Amino acid sequence: QVQLVESGGGSVQPGGSLRLSCAASGRILSINDMGWYRQAPGKQRELVATITSGGNPNYADSVKGRFTIDRDNAKNTVYLQMNSLKPEDTAVYYCNAHVRQLDRGGILISDYWGQGTRVTVSS
C-alpha cells in the first residue's frame, strides 16, 4: 500500500510562515495530481491547492498570493509554503495524491490521503 506522511505543521503567530511537506512511499509507478486540503473546526474540508504532475498549480482564492505549492517528482513529495498566515488558516491540513500503481492486471490509479498535520495561527 501507499502511505502519505505529512510534516511541518505547528503553531505560529499571524503573519508568520510554515512549510508543509508530504512524502509518498510504497509501490508507486508515478503520481498524477497532488494537493493539500484543510478542515477547520466546525467547517467542511476544503481545497487549498493542487498541482499536476507537470507542476501546474491551482489555488483556492483564500490563499492566492500567500501560499505556494510545489513538488519533487523524484522524491514523490509535495510541499506547501504558507506565508502571511492568518488565524483563519488554522486547520488540520491533509495531503492528497492520485497514485499510479502497477500490478498483474495493469495500471491502477488510487486516491490516497495523509493523516493530517495541524496548523494553528494565533497571537
Side-chain angles (χ1 to χ4, degrees):
Q1 287 291 321
V2 172
Q3 184 179 19
L4 305 182
V5 179
E6 301 107 329
S7 62
S11 181
V12 66
Q13 294 183 344
S17 297
L18 287 172
R19 183 171 176 82
L20 307 183
S21 298
C22 172
S25 62
R27 297 183 66 85
I28 298 170
L29 182 62
S30 64
I31 303 177
N32 292 338
D33 289 0
M34 303 184 79
W36 291 94
Y37 296 73
R38 67 187 182 188
Q39 187 165 19
K43 298 183 66 177
Q44 301 271 28
R45 183 182 294 183
E46 64 177 355
L47 183 146
V48 177
T50 61
I51 186 167
T52 68
S53 61
N56 186 35
N58 183 58
Y59 300 96
D61 288 341
S62 60
V63 306
K64 283 183 177 178
R66 300 188 298 120
F67 291 9
T68 302
I69 189 170
D70 198 10
R71 65 189 288 170
D72 185 337
N73 289 337
K75 297 180 179 179
N76 289 327
T77 299
V78 63
Y79 308 93
L80 186 68
Q81 178 67 46
M82 304 185 295
N83 299 324
S84 302
L85 283 161
K86 304 175 180 179
E88 50 262 45
D89 296 318
T90 296
V92 177
Y93 284 70
Y94 296 92
C95 178
N96 174 257
H98 298 277
V99 179
R100 299 173 70 240
Q101 300 171 272
L102 181 66
D103 64 16
R104 291 289 183 90
I107 298 174
L108 305 175
I109 302 178
S110 300
D111 190 33
Y112 289 92
W113 291 89
Q115 298 297 306
T117 185
R118 186 175 298 276
V119 172
T120 302
V121 185
S122 65
S123 300

Coordinates of all heavy atoms in Angstrom, one line a residue, residues 17-111:
S17 N 5.2 32.2 9.0 CA 5.3 31.2 7.9 C 5.5 29.8 8.4 O 6.1 29.6 9.4 CB 6.4 31.6 6.9 OG 6.2 32.8 6.3
L18 N 5.0 28.9 7.6 CA 5.2 27.4 7.8 C 5.4 26.8 6.4 O 4.8 27.2 5.5 CB 4.1 26.8 8.6 CG 3.9 27.0 10.1 CD1 2.6 26.4 10.6 CD2 5.1 26.5 10.8
R19 N 6.1 25.7 6.4 CA 6.3 24.9 5.2 C 5.9 23.5 5.5 O 6.5 22.8 6.3 CB 7.7 25.0 4.7 CG 8.0 24.2 3.4 CD 9.3 24.5 2.8 NE 9.6 23.8 1.6 CZ 9.2 24.1 0.4 NH1 8.5 25.2 0.2 NH2 9.6 23.4 -0.7
L20 N 4.9 23.0 4.8 CA 4.4 21.6 5.0 C 5.0 20.8 3.9 O 5.2 21.2 2.8 CB 2.9 21.6 4.9 CG 2.1 22.5 5.8 CD1 0.6 22.2 5.6 CD2 2.5 22.3 7.2
S21 N 5.3 19.5 4.3 CA 5.8 18.5 3.4 C 4.9 17.3 3.4 O 4.4 17.0 4.5 CB 7.3 18.1 3.7 OG 8.1 19.3 3.6
C22 N 4.8 16.6 2.3 CA 4.1 15.3 2.3 C 4.9 14.4 1.4 O 5.0 14.7 0.2 CB 2.7 15.5 1.8 SG 1.8 14.0 1.4
A23 N 5.3 13.3 1.9 CA 6.1 12.3 1.2 C 5.3 11.0 1.0 O 4.8 10.5 2.0 CB 7.4 12.0 1.9
A24 N 5.2 10.6 -0.2 CA 4.5 9.3 -0.5 C 5.5 8.2 -0.6 O 6.6 8.4 -1.2 CB 3.8 9.5 -1.8
S25 N 5.2 7.1 -0.1 CA 6.1 5.9 -0.1 C 5.2 4.7 -0.4 O 4.0 4.6 -0.2 CB 6.9 5.7 1.2 OG 6.0 5.5 2.3
G26 N 5.9 3.6 -0.9 CA 5.2 2.4 -1.3 C 5.5 2.0 -2.7 O 6.5 2.5 -3.3
R27 N 4.7 1.1 -3.3 CA 4.9 0.7 -4.6 C 4.2 1.7 -5.5 O 3.0 1.6 -5.8 CB 4.4 -0.7 -4.8 CG 5.1 -1.7 -4.0 CD 4.6 -3.1 -4.2 NE 4.9 -3.6 -5.6 CZ 6.0 -4.1 -6.0 NH1 7.0 -4.3 -5.1 NH2 6.2 -4.5 -7.2
I28 N 5.0 2.6 -6.1 CA 4.4 3.8 -6.8 C 5.1 3.8 -8.2 O 6.3 3.8 -8.3 CB 4.7 5.1 -6.1 CG1 4.0 5.2 -4.8 CG2 4.3 6.3 -7.0 CD1 4.5 6.3 -3.9
L29 N 4.2 3.8 -9.2 CA 4.7 3.9 -10.6 C 5.0 5.4 -10.8 O 6.0 5.8 -11.3 CB 3.7 3.3 -11.6 CG 4.1 3.4 -13.1 CD1 5.4 2.6 -13.3 CD2 3.0 2.9 -13.9
S30 N 4.0 6.2 -10.5 CA 4.1 7.7 -10.6 C 2.9 8.3 -9.9 O 2.0 7.5 -9.5 CB 4.2 8.1 -12.1 OG 3.0 7.8 -12.8
I31 N 2.9 9.6 -9.8 CA 1.8 10.3 -9.1 C 1.2 11.3 -10.0 O 2.0 12.1 -10.5 CB 2.2 10.9 -7.8 CG1 2.8 9.8 -6.8 CG2 1.0 11.6 -7.1 CD1 3.3 10.3 -5.5
N32 N -0.1 11.3 -10.2 CA -0.7 12.4 -11.0 C -0.9 13.6 -10.1 O 0.1 14.1 -9.6 CB -2.0 11.9 -11.6 CG -1.8 10.8 -12.6 OD1 -0.7 10.7 -13.2 ND2 -2.8 10.0 -12.9
D33 N -2.1 14.1 -10.0 CA -2.3 15.3 -9.2 C -2.0 15.0 -7.7 O -2.3 14.0 -7.2 CB -3.7 15.8 -9.3 CG -4.0 16.4 -10.7 OD1 -3.1 16.5 -11.5 OD2 -5.2 16.8 -10.9
M34 N -1.4 16.0 -7.1 CA -1.3 16.0 -5.6 C -1.9 17.3 -5.1 O -2.0 18.3 -5.9 CB 0.2 16.0 -5.2 CG 0.9 14.8 -5.8 SD 2.6 14.6 -5.1 CE 2.3 13.9 -3.5
G35 N -2.3 17.3 -3.9 CA -2.9 18.5 -3.3 C -2.9 18.6 -1.8 O -2.6 17.6 -1.2
W36 N -3.3 19.8 -1.4 CA -3.5 20.0 0.1 C -4.9 20.4 0.3 O -5.4 21.3 -0.4 CB -2.5 21.1 0.6 CG -1.1 20.6 0.6 CD1 -0.2 20.8 -0.4 CD2 -0.4 19.9 1.7 NE1 1.0 20.3 0.0 CE2 0.9 19.7 1.3 CE3 -0.9 19.5 2.9 CZ2 1.8 19.1 2.1 CZ3 0.0 18.8 3.7 CH2 1.4 18.6 3.3
Y37 N -5.5 19.9 1.3 CA -6.9 20.2 1.7 C -6.8 20.5 3.2 O -5.8 20.1 3.9 CB -7.8 19.1 1.5 CG -8.1 18.8 0.0 CD1 -7.1 18.1 -0.7 CD2 -9.2 19.1 -0.6 CE1 -7.3 17.8 -2.0 CE2 -9.4 18.8 -1.9 CZ -8.5 18.2 -2.7 OH -8.7 17.9 -4.0
R38 N -7.7 21.3 3.7 CA -7.7 21.6 5.1 C -9.2 21.5 5.7 O -10.1 21.7 5.0 CB -7.1 23.0 5.4 CG -7.9 24.1 4.9 CD -7.1 25.4 5.0 NE -7.9 26.6 4.6 CZ -7.4 27.8 4.5 NH1 -6.1 28.0 4.8 NH2 -8.1 28.8 4.1
Q39 N -9.2 21.3 7.0 CA -10.5 21.3 7.7 C -10.3 22.0 9.0 O -9.6 21.6 9.9 CB -11.0 19.8 7.9 CG -12.4 19.8 8.5 CD -13.0 18.4 8.4 OE1 -12.3 17.4 8.2 NE2 -14.3 18.3 8.4
A40 N -11.0 23.1 9.1 CA -11.0 23.9 10.3 C -12.1 23.5 11.2 O -13.1 22.8 10.8 CB -11.2 25.4 9.9
P41 N -12.0 23.8 12.5 CA -13.1 23.4 13.4 C -14.4 23.9 13.0 O -14.6 25.1 12.7 CB -12.6 24.0 14.8 CG -11.1 24.1 14.6 CD -10.9 24.4 13.2
G42 N -15.4 23.0 12.9 CA -16.8 23.4 12.6 C -17.0 23.7 11.1 O -18.1 24.2 10.7
K43 N -16.0 23.4 10.3 CA -16.2 23.7 8.8 C -15.9 22.4 8.0 O -15.4 21.4 8.5 CB -15.2 24.8 8.4 CG -15.4 26.1 9.1 CD -14.4 27.1 8.5 CE -14.7 27.5 7.1 NZ -13.8 28.6 6.6
Q44 N -16.4 22.4 6.8 CA -16.1 21.3 5.9 C -14.7 21.3 5.4 O -14.0 22.4 5.4 CB -17.1 21.5 4.7 CG -18.6 21.5 5.0 CD -19.2 20.1 5.0 OE1 -18.5 19.1 5.3 NE2 -20.4 20.0 4.7
R45 N -14.2 20.2 5.0 CA -12.9 20.1 4.3 C -13.0 20.9 3.0 O -13.9 20.8 2.2 CB -12.5 18.7 4.1 CG -11.1 18.5 3.5 CD -10.8 17.0 3.2 NE -10.7 16.3 4.5 CZ -10.4 15.0 4.5 NH1 -10.1 14.3 3.4 NH2 -10.4 14.3 5.7
E46 N -11.9 21.7 2.8 CA -11.9 22.5 1.6 C -10.5 22.3 0.9 O -9.5 22.1 1.5 CB -12.1 23.9 1.9 CG -11.0 24.6 2.8 CD -11.3 26.0 3.1 OE1 -12.2 26.6 2.5 OE2 -10.5 26.6 3.9
L47 N -10.5 22.5 -0.4 CA -9.3 22.5 -1.2 C -8.5 23.7 -0.9 O -9.0 24.9 -0.8 CB -9.6 22.4 -2.7 CG -8.5 22.3 -3.6 CD1 -8.8 21.5 -4.8 CD2 -8.0 23.7 -4.1
V48 N -7.2 23.5 -0.7 CA -6.2 24.6 -0.5 C -5.5 24.9 -1.8 O -5.4 26.0 -2.4 CB -5.3 24.4 0.6 CG1 -4.2 25.5 0.7 CG2 -6.0 24.2 1.9
A49 N -4.8 23.8 -2.3 CA -4.0 23.9 -3.6 C -3.8 22.6 -4.1 O -3.8 21.6 -3.4 CB -2.7 24.6 -3.3
T50 N -3.7 22.5 -5.5 CA -3.4 21.3 -6.2 C -2.3 21.6 -7.1 O -2.0 22.7 -7.5 CB -4.6 20.7 -6.9 OG1 -5.0 21.6 -7.9 CG2 -5.7 20.3 -6.0
I51 N -1.6 20.5 -7.5 CA -0.5 20.6 -8.5 C -0.5 19.4 -9.4 O -0.6 18.3 -8.9 CB 0.8 20.9 -7.8 CG1 1.9 21.2 -8.9 CG2 1.2 19.8 -6.9 CD1 3.2 21.8 -8.2
T52 N -0.4 19.6 -10.7 CA -0.3 18.4 -11.6 C 1.0 17.8 -11.6 O 2.0 18.4 -11.0 CB -0.7 18.9 -13.0 OG1 0.3 19.7 -13.5 CG2 -2.1 19.6 -13.0
S53 N 1.1 16.7 -12.2 CA 2.4 16.0 -12.4 C 3.4 16.9 -13.1 O 4.7 16.7 -12.9 CB 2.3 14.7 -13.0 OG 1.8 14.8 -14.4
G54 N 3.0 17.7 -14.0 CA 3.8 18.6 -14.7 C 4.2 19.9 -14.0 O 4.9 20.8 -14.5
G55 N 3.6 20.1 -12.8 CA 3.9 21.3 -12.0 C 3.0 22.5 -12.1 O 3.3 23.6 -11.7
N56 N 1.8 22.3 -12.7 CA 0.8 23.3 -12.9 C 0.0 23.5 -11.6 O -0.7 22.5 -11.2 CB -0.1 23.1 -14.1 CG -1.0 24.2 -14.4 OD1 -0.7 25.4 -14.2 ND2 -2.2 23.9 -14.8
P57 N 0.1 24.6 -10.9 CA -0.6 24.8 -9.7 C -2.0 25.4 -9.8 O -2.3 26.0 -10.8 CB 0.3 25.7 -8.9 CG 0.8 26.6 -10.0 CD 1.0 25.8 -11.2
N58 N -2.8 25.1 -8.8 CA -4.2 25.7 -8.7 C -4.4 26.0 -7.2 O -4.1 25.2 -6.4 CB -5.2 24.8 -9.2 CG -6.6 25.4 -9.2 OD1 -6.8 26.5 -9.8 ND2 -7.5 24.8 -8.5
Y59 N -4.9 27.2 -6.9 CA -5.1 27.7 -5.6 C -6.5 28.1 -5.3 O -7.2 28.7 -6.1 CB -4.2 28.9 -5.2 CG -2.7 28.6 -5.4 CD1 -2.0 28.9 -6.6 CD2 -2.0 28.0 -4.4 CE1 -0.7 28.7 -6.8 CE2 -0.6 27.7 -4.5 CZ 0.0 28.1 -5.7 OH 1.4 27.8 -5.9
A60 N -6.9 27.9 -4.0 CA -8.1 28.5 -3.6 C -7.9 30.0 -3.5 O -6.8 30.5 -3.2 CB -8.5 27.9 -2.2
D61 N -9.0 30.7 -3.7 CA -8.9 32.2 -3.7 C -8.4 32.7 -2.4 O -7.7 33.7 -2.3 CB -10.2 32.8 -4.0 CG -10.6 32.7 -5.5 OD1 -9.7 32.4 -6.3 OD2 -11.8 32.8 -5.8
S62 N -8.7 32.0 -1.3 CA -8.4 32.5 0.0 C -6.9 32.4 0.3 O -6.4 33.1 1.3 CB -9.1 31.7 1.1 OG -8.8 30.3 1.0
V63 N -6.1 31.7 -0.5 CA -4.7 31.6 -0.2 C -3.8 32.1 -1.3 O -2.6 32.1 -1.2 CB -4.3 30.1 0.1 CG1 -5.2 29.5 1.2 CG2 -4.4 29.2 -1.1
K64 N -4.4 32.5 -2.4 CA -3.7 33.1 -3.5 C -2.8 34.2 -3.1 O -3.2 35.1 -2.3 CB -4.6 33.5 -4.6 CG -5.1 32.4 -5.5 CD -6.0 32.9 -6.6 CE -6.5 31.7 -7.5 NZ -7.3 32.2 -8.6
G65 N -1.6 34.2 -3.5 CA -0.6 35.3 -3.1 C 0.1 35.0 -1.8 O 1.1 35.7 -1.5
R66 N -0.4 34.1 -1.0 CA 0.2 33.8 0.3 C 0.8 32.4 0.3 O 1.9 32.2 0.9 CB -0.8 33.9 1.4 CG -1.4 35.3 1.5 CD -2.3 35.4 2.7 NE -3.4 34.5 2.7 CZ -3.6 33.6 3.6 NH1 -2.8 33.4 4.7 NH2 -4.7 32.8 3.5
F67 N 0.2 31.4 -0.3 CA 0.7 30.0 -0.3 C 1.3 29.7 -1.7 O 0.8 30.1 -2.7 CB -0.5 29.1 0.0 CG -1.0 29.2 1.4 CD1 -0.7 30.2 2.3 CD2 -1.9 28.2 1.8 CE1 -1.2 30.2 3.6 CE2 -2.5 28.2 3.1 CZ -2.1 29.3 4.0
T68 N 2.2 28.8 -1.6 CA 2.8 28.2 -2.9 C 2.9 26.7 -2.7 O 3.5 26.2 -1.8 CB 4.2 28.8 -3.1 OG1 4.1 30.3 -3.2 CG2 4.8 28.3 -4.4
I69 N 2.4 26.0 -3.7 CA 2.5 24.6 -3.8 C 3.6 24.2 -4.8 O 3.8 24.8 -5.8 CB 1.2 23.9 -4.1 CG1 1.3 22.4 -3.9 CG2 0.7 24.3 -5.5 CD1 -0.1 21.7 -4.0
D70 N 4.4 23.2 -4.4 CA 5.4 22.7 -5.3 C 5.6 21.2 -5.0 O 5.1 20.7 -4.1 CB 6.8 23.5 -5.0 CG 7.8 23.3 -6.1 OD1 7.4 22.8 -7.2 OD2 8.9 23.7 -5.9
R71 N 6.3 20.6 -5.9 CA 6.5 19.1 -5.8 C 7.8 18.7 -6.4 O 8.4 19.4 -7.2 CB 5.4 18.3 -6.5 CG 5.3 18.5 -8.0 CD 4.1 17.9 -8.6 NE 4.1 16.4 -8.5 CZ 3.1 15.6 -8.8 NH1 1.9 16.1 -9.1 NH2 3.2 14.3 -8.7
D72 N 8.3 17.6 -5.9 CA 9.5 17.0 -6.3 C 9.2 15.6 -6.7 O 9.0 14.7 -5.9 CB 10.6 17.0 -5.2 CG 11.9 16.4 -5.7 OD1 12.0 15.7 -6.7 OD2 13.0 16.8 -5.1
N73 N 9.0 15.3 -8.0 CA 8.6 14.1 -8.5 C 9.5 12.9 -8.2 O 9.1 11.8 -8.0 CB 8.3 14.1 -10.0 CG 7.1 15.0 -10.4 OD1 6.2 15.1 -9.5 ND2 7.0 15.5 -11.6
A74 N 10.8 13.2 -8.2 CA 11.8 12.2 -8.0 C 11.7 11.7 -6.5 O 12.0 10.5 -6.3 CB 13.2 12.7 -8.2
K75 N 11.2 12.5 -5.6 CA 11.0 12.2 -4.2 C 9.6 11.9 -3.9 O 9.3 11.6 -2.7 CB 11.6 13.2 -3.3 CG 13.1 13.5 -3.5 CD 13.5 14.6 -2.5 CE 15.0 14.8 -2.7 NZ 15.5 15.9 -1.8
N76 N 8.7 11.9 -4.8 CA 7.3 11.7 -4.6 C 6.8 12.6 -3.4 O 6.1 12.1 -2.5 CB 7.0 10.2 -4.3 CG 7.1 9.4 -5.6 OD1 6.8 9.9 -6.7 ND2 7.5 8.2 -5.4
T77 N 7.2 13.8 -3.4 CA 6.9 14.7 -2.3 C 6.3 16.0 -2.8 O 6.6 16.5 -3.9 CB 8.2 15.1 -1.6 OG1 8.8 13.9 -1.0 CG2 7.9 16.0 -0.4
V78 N 5.3 16.5 -2.1 CA 4.6 17.8 -2.4 C 4.8 18.7 -1.2 O 4.8 18.2 0.0 CB 3.1 17.6 -2.7 CG1 2.4 17.0 -1.6 CG2 2.5 18.9 -3.2
Y79 N 4.9 20.0 -1.5 CA 5.2 21.0 -0.4 C 4.1 22.0 -0.5 O 3.5 22.3 -1.5 CB 6.6 21.6 -0.6 CG 7.7 20.7 -0.7 CD1 8.1 20.2 -2.0 CD2 8.4 20.2 0.4 CE1 9.2 19.3 -2.1 CE2 9.4 19.3 0.3 CZ 9.8 18.9 -1.0 OH 10.9 18.0 -1.1
L80 N 3.9 22.7 0.7 CA 3.0 23.8 0.7 C 3.8 24.9 1.6 O 3.9 24.7 2.8 CB 1.7 23.5 1.3 CG 0.7 24.6 1.3 CD1 0.2 25.0 -0.1 CD2 -0.6 24.3 2.2
Q81 N 4.2 25.9 0.9 CA 4.8 27.1 1.6 C 3.7 28.0 2.0 O 3.0 28.6 1.1 CB 5.9 27.7 0.7 CG 6.5 28.9 1.4 CD 7.4 28.6 2.6 OE1 8.2 27.7 2.5 NE2 7.2 29.3 3.7
M82 N 3.6 28.3 3.2 CA 2.5 29.2 3.7 C 3.1 30.4 4.3 O 3.8 30.3 5.4 CB 1.6 28.4 4.7 CG 1.0 27.1 4.2 SD -0.1 26.4 5.4 CE 1.0 26.0 6.7
N83 N 2.9 31.5 3.7 CA 3.3 32.8 4.2 C 2.2 33.7 4.6 O 1.0 33.5 4.2 CB 4.2 33.5 3.2 CG 5.4 32.8 2.8 OD1 6.0 32.1 3.6 ND2 5.8 32.8 1.5
S84 N 2.5 34.7 5.4 CA 1.5 35.7 5.8 C 0.2 35.0 6.4 O -0.9 35.3 6.1 CB 1.0 36.6 4.6 OG 2.1 37.3 4.1
L85 N 0.5 34.1 7.3 CA -0.6 33.3 7.8 C -1.5 34.1 8.7 O -1.2 35.0 9.4 CB 0.0 32.1 8.7 CG 0.6 31.0 7.9 CD1 1.6 30.2 8.7 CD2 -0.5 30.1 7.3
K86 N -2.8 33.7 8.6 CA -3.9 34.4 9.3 C -4.5 33.4 10.2 O -4.5 32.2 10.0 CB -4.9 34.9 8.3 CG -4.4 35.8 7.2 CD -5.5 36.2 6.2 CE -4.9 37.1 5.1 NZ -6.0 37.4 4.1
P87 N -5.2 33.9 11.2 CA -5.9 33.0 12.1 C -6.9 32.1 11.4 O -7.1 30.9 11.8 CB -6.7 33.9 13.1 CG -5.8 35.1 13.1 CD -5.2 35.3 11.7
E88 N -7.5 32.5 10.3 CA -8.5 31.7 9.6 C -7.8 30.6 8.8 O -8.5 29.7 8.3 CB -9.3 32.6 8.7 CG -8.5 33.5 7.8 CD -8.5 34.9 8.3 OE1 -8.2 35.1 9.5 OE2 -8.7 35.9 7.5
D89 N -6.5 30.6 8.8 CA -5.8 29.4 8.2 C -5.6 28.3 9.2 O -5.2 27.2 8.8 CB -4.4 29.8 7.8 CG -4.4 30.9 6.6 OD1 -5.2 30.7 5.7 OD2 -3.6 31.8 6.7
T90 N -6.0 28.5 10.4 CA -6.0 27.4 11.4 C -6.8 26.2 11.0 O -8.0 26.4 10.7 CB -6.4 27.9 12.8 OG1 -5.5 28.9 13.2 CG2 -6.4 26.8 13.8
A91 N -6.2 25.0 10.9 CA -6.9 23.9 10.4 C -6.0 22.7 10.5 O -4.8 22.8 10.7 CB -7.4 24.0 9.0
V92 N -6.5 21.5 10.3 CA -5.7 20.3 10.0 C -5.6 20.2 8.5 O -6.6 20.3 7.8 CB -6.4 19.0 10.6 CG1 -5.6 17.8 10.2 CG2 -6.5 19.1 12.1
Y93 N -4.4 20.1 8.1 CA -4.0 20.1 6.6 C -3.8 18.7 6.2 O -2.9 18.0 6.8 CB -2.8 21.0 6.3 CG -3.2 22.5 6.3 CD1 -3.5 23.1 7.5 CD2 -3.2 23.2 5.2 CE1 -3.8 24.5 7.6 CE2 -3.6 24.5 5.2 CZ -3.9 25.2 6.4 OH -4.2 26.5 6.4
Y94 N -4.4 18.3 5.1 CA -4.3 16.9 4.6 C -3.7 16.9 3.3 O -4.1 17.7 2.4 CB -5.7 16.2 4.6 CG -6.4 16.1 5.9 CD1 -7.3 17.0 6.4 CD2 -6.2 14.9 6.7 CE1 -7.9 16.9 7.6 CE2 -6.8 14.8 7.9 CZ -7.7 15.8 8.3 OH -8.3 15.6 9.5
C95 N -2.8 16.0 3.1 CA -2.2 15.7 1.8 C -3.0 14.7 1.0 O -3.5 13.8 1.6 CB -0.7 15.2 2.0 SG 0.1 14.8 0.5
N96 N -3.1 14.9 -0.3 CA -3.8 14.0 -1.2 C -3.0 13.8 -2.4 O -2.3 14.6 -2.9 CB -5.2 14.7 -1.6 CG -5.9 13.9 -2.6 OD1 -6.0 14.2 -3.8 ND2 -6.5 12.8 -2.1
A97 N -3.1 12.5 -2.9 CA -2.3 12.1 -4.1 C -3.1 11.1 -4.9 O -3.7 10.2 -4.3 CB -1.0 11.6 -3.7
H98 N -3.1 11.2 -6.2 CA -3.6 10.2 -7.1 C -2.4 9.4 -7.6 O -1.7 9.9 -8.4 CB -4.4 10.9 -8.2 CG -5.6 11.7 -7.8 ND1 -6.8 11.1 -7.5 CD2 -5.7 13.0 -7.5 CE1 -7.7 12.0 -7.1 NE2 -7.0 13.2 -7.1
V99 N -2.3 8.2 -7.1 CA -1.1 7.4 -7.3 C -1.4 6.3 -8.4 O -2.4 5.6 -8.3 CB -0.7 6.7 -6.0 CG1 0.5 5.9 -6.2 CG2 -0.4 7.8 -5.0
R100 N -0.5 6.3 -9.3 CA -0.5 5.2 -10.3 C 0.3 4.0 -9.8 O 1.5 4.2 -9.5 CB 0.0 5.7 -11.7 CG -0.8 6.9 -12.2 CD -0.2 7.5 -13.5 NE -0.2 6.6 -14.6 CZ 0.9 6.2 -15.3 NH1 2.1 6.6 -14.9 NH2 0.7 5.3 -16.3
Q101 N -0.3 2.9 -9.8 CA 0.4 1.7 -9.4 C 0.3 0.6 -10.4 O -0.7 0.5 -11.2 CB -0.2 1.2 -8.1 CG -0.1 2.2 -6.9 CD -1.0 1.7 -5.7 OE1 -2.2 2.1 -5.7 NE2 -0.3 1.0 -4.8
L102 N 1.3 -0.3 -10.5 CA 1.3 -1.4 -11.4 C 1.1 -2.7 -10.7 O 1.8 -3.0 -9.7 CB 2.7 -1.4 -12.2 CG 2.9 -2.4 -13.2 CD1 1.9 -2.2 -14.4 CD2 4.3 -2.4 -13.7
D103 N 0.2 -3.5 -11.3 CA 0.1 -4.9 -10.8 C -0.1 -5.8 -12.0 O -0.1 -5.3 -13.2 CB -1.0 -5.0 -9.8 CG -2.4 -4.7 -10.3 OD1 -2.6 -4.6 -11.5 OD2 -3.3 -4.5 -9.5
R104 N -0.4 -7.1 -11.8 CA -0.6 -8.0 -12.9 C -1.8 -7.6 -13.8 O -1.7 -8.0 -15.0 CB -0.8 -9.4 -12.3 CG 0.4 -10.0 -11.6 CD 1.5 -10.4 -12.7 NE 2.7 -11.0 -12.1 CZ 2.8 -12.3 -11.9 NH1 1.8 -13.1 -12.3 NH2 3.9 -12.8 -11.4
G105 N -2.8 -7.0 -13.2 CA -3.9 -6.6 -14.0 C -3.7 -5.4 -14.8 O -4.6 -5.0 -15.7
G106 N -2.7 -4.7 -14.6 CA -2.4 -3.4 -15.4 C -2.1 -2.3 -14.4 O -1.7 -2.5 -13.3
I107 N -2.3 -1.1 -14.9 CA -2.0 0.1 -14.2 C -3.3 0.6 -13.5 O -4.4 0.7 -14.1 CB -1.5 1.2 -15.0 CG1 -0.1 0.8 -15.7 CG2 -1.3 2.5 -14.3 CD1 0.4 1.7 -16.7
L108 N -3.2 0.8 -12.2 CA -4.3 1.3 -11.4 C -4.0 2.7 -10.9 O -2.9 3.1 -10.7 CB -4.6 0.4 -10.2 CG -4.8 -1.1 -10.5 CD1 -4.9 -1.8 -9.2 CD2 -6.0 -1.3 -11.3
I109 N -5.1 3.5 -10.7 CA -5.0 4.8 -10.1 C -5.8 4.8 -8.9 O -7.0 4.6 -8.9 CB -5.4 5.9 -11.1 CG1 -4.5 5.9 -12.4 CG2 -5.3 7.3 -10.4 CD1 -4.9 6.9 -13.4
S110 N -5.2 5.2 -7.8 CA -5.9 5.2 -6.5 C -5.7 6.5 -5.8 O -4.6 7.1 -5.9 CB -5.4 4.0 -5.6 OG -5.6 2.8 -6.2
D111 N -6.7 6.9 -5.0 CA -6.6 8.1 -4.3 C -6.2 7.9 -2.8 O -6.8 7.0 -2.1 CB -8.0 8.7 -4.3 CG -8.1 10.2 -3.7 OD1 -7.1 10.9 -3.9 OD2 -9.1 10.5 -3.2

